[in-house]
Structure formats: structure tokens, C-alpha cells
């Protein structure tokens, strides 16, 4: 019933390009912010090395995948090779070290699904979350960053979609809406499916990067500097793509049967993944396959109430893009 008649995009869509690009530019973090982040990581690594000499800190998440807006918190992963580590004790020990070295708001969250220590650096004002040995997150960060280098429209689209999702309150996993990571995957999938395609499927190409994490093989083509012209055959503008993105999620996606899959660059069926019914707390009402943990549906936290909220917001956004006299303002109005 949600599949409406296909509609055509408004004829003046390309007039919206410049104002949308200005919003994008205003969200991009300045270089000095990146420098501050690197400086903080280096000094935290020194502290950590006083206790564990071989340990290393990696940035992951939006500060490293190139989809981070200015002033976001940073996600850090501690990579440590030690047999039989007890993550909970390690996190507590880390918290002690940071506390003793003048970092503020230090908190060890040992009972979360992914245990972390939180802290704030008073010198730079940067807050960060540090987890332990979350190798897959570091690898999916690289995958996203590599995709971003292929065609500039991905980064523009994802920034605008994330900005919309934050403004409209639908980027809150603890309340049953989607993570930023999920929205970026939705954008990548969407650009893989344009005709002509704007993005390739890196995991279907001859792999040049292969890492095994437990029983998962992560393999993809990562010589993306060779793919800079990939999307050149498609000249769709960012305003048009934003319109088409919301139109897709509001009117065209088949929520009952489809799983979007960046791994294959295509849609796969819920039946093939056995995601047709609720299992435990996973409801599979909107299905987004993780590119490496393929049994992992990033839409699993969406429930029968929040799916309605999401659909209403996609609908509203599609309508705003289609009819509103000033979509660059209305789209991002606080809810
Ligand atoms: P913002 O902080 O909102 O700007 O975006 P972010 O990309 O940092 O997202 P978030 O803080 O939600 O997640 C940080 C990183 O953790 C993501 O970029 C992923 O690398 C990873 N991540 C988040 N959720 C999942 C998940 O469900 N599965 C896996 N494998 N990784 C995840
Ligand atoms: Mg983050």
C-alpha cells in the first residue's frame, strides 16, 4: 500500500544544488579539528603504553570514515594482543589510568554490549569512547572511507542524510531508530544501484585487501584511487539524488521482502536470510545487512512503533523535496 504511483522529480530540482552543497560545506570539519584529534590519540596512546607497551590506538567511526561532521565525539579502539584478556577488567584499568592523568568525565561502561571507557580531554574539549579489540569496526570504517573516495557525491549525500536524521530525531539507536553507520550504508547501497551506477561494489571485485577476524573473512578491492572516474557516466546532481533517496525509502523500497546489501551491491530477499519473522528481539522490519557480519541486521533495533516514525519521516522528507518552496530549510526543521 506504500508503493505509490511513481512520480517525477520537480522540474526546478537543480536550483537546489548550490544551497544543499553550502549546507554540506558548513558541516565538514576543518583541518585543525582533525589535527587536534590526532594529537589527543597520540597522547592517550602514550598513557596506555606505560601499562601495555605494544598496544595501539585506532580511530574508527565517523572521525575516521570521512562521514563525521564538525565537533562530533570520537570513537577509539584499543588494539592489544594479550592472551585471555578480560575486557571488563581492562576497561576498568584504563579508566584508572586516564583518571590519574587529568582526563575528565572518565566512566567505565563495562556492562554495555560493547564495553567502553568514556572520557573528555579538557585541553581540546574532545570527548571520546574507547573500546577494546573491536577489529571489525576498524575494518568497516576503512570500507566506508574507501567508498567515500570513489565519488564525492557519496560524502555529500551521507552528510545531508545524517544531518536530516539528527535534526528529525531518527538517529537514536537507544530509542529504536537507525545508527549513522546504517544511514551511510543506505547511501552507499543507493548509489551502487543508480543506473549508470555511481559506486561499484568493492566486495564483489578482485580483493586487494584481505583480513581475517575470527571466522569472518573481510576482503575487498581497496585500490580506490583507480576508480576515481567510476561514476563519471552518471551526472545526477546532489539535490536530485537526495530527492531520489527519500523517494526510494518513502515509496519504492519493498519493506516486506527486501534486504539491502552493500556486500553484494544488490537487494537480497528476507527469505534467503531467514529474516522473515521476529527472532528474540530482532524484528527485521527494515533490513540492512552488515557488509562483514552478514547475520547482523542493522535494522534489528527498529520496532513496530519506530518503523512508523521512520516511514513518516521518509514520507515527509520526500514530500518536502518534491513540493516545499524552501526544502533546504524545511527538511532540517527540528521535530
Ligand atoms: P556519528 O558518531 O553519528 O557521527 O557516526 P558514527 O559513524 O561514528 O556512528 P556510531 O558512533 O554509531 O558508530 C561508530 C562506528 O561503530 C561505526 O562507524 C561502525 O564502524 C561501528 N558500528 C556501529 N554500529 C555497528 C554495528 O551495529 N555493527 C558493527 N559491526 N559496527 C558498528
Ligand atoms: Mg561516532
Amino acid at each position: 500500500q506504500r508503493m505509490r504511483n511513481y512520480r517525477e522529480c520537480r522540474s526546478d530540482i537543480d536550483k537546489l544544488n548550490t544551497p544543499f552543497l553550502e549546507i554540506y560545506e558548513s558541516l565538514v570539519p576543518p583541518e585543525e579539528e582533525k589535527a587536534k584529534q590526532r594529537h589527543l590519540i597520540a597522547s592517550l596512546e602514550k598513557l596506555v603504553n606505560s601499562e601495555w607497551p605494544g598496544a595501539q590506538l585506532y580511530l574508527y567511526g565517523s572521525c575516521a570514515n570521512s562521514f563525521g561532521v564538525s565537533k562530533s565525539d570520537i570513537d577509539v579502539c584499543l588494539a592489544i594482543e594479550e592472551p585471555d584478556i578480560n575486557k571488563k577488567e581492562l576497561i576498568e584499568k584504563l579508566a584508572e589510568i586516564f583518571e590519574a592523568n587529568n582526563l575528565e568525565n572518565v566512566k567505565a561502561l563495562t556492562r554495555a554490549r560493547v564495553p567502553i571507557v568514556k572520557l573528555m580531554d579538557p585541553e581540546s574539549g574532545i570527548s571520546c569512547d574507547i573500546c577494546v579489540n573491536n577489529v571489525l569496526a576498524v575494518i568497516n570504517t576503512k570500507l566506508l572511507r574507501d567508498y567515500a573516495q570513489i565519488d564525492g557525491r557519496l560524502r555529500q549525500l551521507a552528510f545531508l542524510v545524517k544531518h536530516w536524521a539528527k535534526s528529525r530525531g531518527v538517529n537514536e539507536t537507544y530509542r529504536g531508530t537507525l545508527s549513522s553507520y546504517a544511514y551511510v550504508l543506505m547511501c552507499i547501497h543507493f548509489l551502487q544501484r543508480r543506473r549508470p551506477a555511481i559506486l561499484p561494489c568493492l566486495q564483489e571485485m578482485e580483493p586487494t585487501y584481505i583480513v581475517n577476524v575470527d571466522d569472518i573473512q573481510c576482503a575487498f578491492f581497496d585500490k580506490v584511487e583507480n576508480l576515481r572516474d567510476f561514476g563519471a557516466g552518471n551526472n545526477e546532481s546532489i539535490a536530485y539524488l537526495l530527492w531520489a533517496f527519500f523517494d526510494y525509502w518513502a515509496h519504492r523500497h519493498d519493506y516486506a521482502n527486501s534486504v539491502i546489501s552493500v556486500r553484494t551491491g544488490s537487494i537480497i530477499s528476507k527469505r534467503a536470510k531467514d529474516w522473515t519473522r521476529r527472532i528474540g528481539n530482532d524484528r527485521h522490519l527494515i533490513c540492512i545487512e552488515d557488509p562483514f557480519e552478514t547475520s547482523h541486521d542493522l535494522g534489528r533495533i527498529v520496532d513496530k512503533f519506530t518503523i512508523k516514525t521512520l516511514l513518516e519521516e521518509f514520507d515527509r522528507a520526500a514530500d518536502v523535496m518534491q513540493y516545499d518552496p524552501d526544502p533546504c530549510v524545511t527538511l532540517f526543521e527540528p521535530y
Side-chain angles (χ1 to χ4, degrees), residues 142-301:
K142 171 175 164 58
L143 181 73
L144 267 48
R145 185 176 58 234
D146 285 347
Y147 271 114
Q149 287 177 41
I150 299 170
D151 193 293
R153 287 171 288 186
L154 170 60
R155 196 167 178 230
Q156 296 164 353
L157 179 67
F159 266 66
L160 293 167
V161 168
K162 276 178 65 173
H163 183 45
W164 160 82
K166 285 182 202 291
S167 314
R168 302 297 300 171
V170 287
N171 178 208
E172 299 176 350
T173 45
Y174 58 95
R175 295 174 68 181
T177 55
L178 298 170
S179 66
S180 297
Y181 178 55
Y183 282 112
V184 176
L185 292 174
M186 288 157 80
C187 292
I188 295 173
H189 169 80
F190 172 76
L191 297 180
Q192 286 175 330
R193 305 271 296 165
R194 303 308 294 167
R195 291 296 173 263
I198 293 178
L199 291 179
C201 175
L202 295 176
Q203 288 171 275
E204 293 269 281
M205 297 169 68
E206 198 56 48
T208 50
Y209 173 86
I210 303 175
V211 179
N212 290 299
V213 184
D214 303 327
D215 52 349
I216 299 176
Q217 188 185 64
C218 304
F220 56 94
F221 181 80
D222 77 337
K223 303 269 172 278
V224 286
E225 53 292 350
N226 303 339
L227 295 173
R228 289 276 159 72
D229 292 331
F230 184 90
N234 180 317
N235 60 11
E236 288 169 330
S237 69
I238 187 61
Y240 181 80
L241 290 168
L242 191 61
W243 169 84
F245 178 87
F246 289 123
D247 182 60
Y248 174 78
W249 286 100
H251 308 307
R252 302 187 192 211
H253 181 68
D254 181 359
Y255 288 83
N257 302 301
S258 296
V259 176
I260 66 157
S261 164
V262 164
R263 173 180 61 97
T264 59
S266 67
I267 298 265
I268 46 195
S269 79
K270 281 202 201 180
R271 204 145 16 92
K273 298 202 65 100
D274 197 20
W275 283 356
T276 50
R277 64 213 138 80
R278 176 170 170 176
I279 301 168
N281 263 339
D282 293 11
R283 294 168 177 89
H284 306 303
L285 300 173
I286 174 172
C287 296
I288 302 159
E289 182 196 59
D290 186 272
F292 301 116
E293 288 174 278
T294 55
S295 63
H296 205 63
D297 176 7
L298 297 169
R300 71 195 178 284
I301 35 155

Side-chain angles (χ1 to χ4, degrees), residues 70-101:
S70 196
K71 305 203 173 60
S72 24
D73 295 354
I74 64 177
D75 301 297
V76 180
C77 176
L78 168 67
I80 186 164
E81 281 185 44
E82 232 181 45
D84 311 316
I85 46 169
N86 178 331
K87 279 197 187 176
K88 191 170 168 267
E89 281 170 18
L90 196 84
I91 291 279
E92 273 159 3
K93 180 80 195 158
L94 276 174
E96 263 172 47
I97 296 172
F98 295 138
E99 192 107 64
N101 283 277

